[in-house]
Amino acid sequence: MTKADHIAYWKDTAAFDWPAVQRMMAAGDFVHGLFFAHLVIEKLSKAHWVQDNADDIPPRTHNILRLWQATQLAPTPDHVRIATELNDYQLEGRYPDYAQQLYAATTAVLARQLLTDITALRTWLLSSLP
């Protein structure tokens, strides 16, 4: 695979997951929807990592901020805030002992505002990928 193929892989799989985010959020399944939203942003961040590094295989991390550190992205403080919040939701799917805290903290209002922020973050990440 070429570098372009690797970047396309991450973009395409993120695009595949985005409708699932929309469905879960519309159904009120906010924690799972935000878990999938994290996956989308993580995959787009990995596309950026591949774009900006000699290697085509990004590090095996789910931490969006860590991925960004090795790219040419210049996130705003708001981007960092959103990524930090999203990193909490990736734990739910991997470490169920965090689930109870997330379910208690994730209100409909919070989830919908975060989805609005994530949508803007997704647009920003896509804007600088081929």
Side-chain angles (χ1 to χ4, degrees):
M1 286 176 51
T2 66
K3 183 169 283 293
D5 291 335
H6 283 277
I7 294 167
Y9 166 80
W10 291 112
K11 281 180 59 181
D12 292 348
T13 58
F16 182 81
D17 290 340
W18 188 243
V21 172
Q22 305 302 315
R23 287 190 304 272
M24 285 183 255
M25 296 296 283
D29 189 0
F30 302 123
V31 172
H32 287 105
L34 292 171
F35 172 78
F36 266 78
H38 176 277
L39 285 176
V40 169
I41 299 304
E42 177 186 335
K43 289 174 179 182
L44 293 175
S45 299
K46 287 183 176 183
H48 276 277
W49 191 98
V50 170
Q51 178 176 267
D52 296 343
N53 288 274
D55 195 2
D56 292 336
I57 308 297
R60 292 181 184 236
T61 182
H62 306 294
N63 187 314
I64 296 165
L65 297 171
R66 181 169 170 234
L67 290 165
W68 289 356
Q69 289 172 347
T71 69
Q72 295 179 18
L73 289 168
T76 66
D78 202 41
H79 293 148
V80 171
R81 177 191 58 79
I82 298 162
T84 300
E85 287 184 54
L86 271 178
N87 277 338
D88 289 340
Y89 287 92
Q90 67 89 14
L91 293 172
E92 190 279 330
R94 292 170 176 82
Y95 308 105
D97 51 321
Y98 290 104
Q100 193 172 35
Q101 295 172 26
L102 283 177
Y103 280 101
T106 306
T107 65
V109 171
L110 172 72
R112 289 187 181 111
Q113 180 56 55
L114 193 50
L115 182 60
T116 298
D117 294 342
I118 293 162
T119 301
L121 182 62
R122 177 179 167 268
T123 300
W124 173 70
L125 289 167
L126 284 167
S127 72
S128 53
L129 286 170

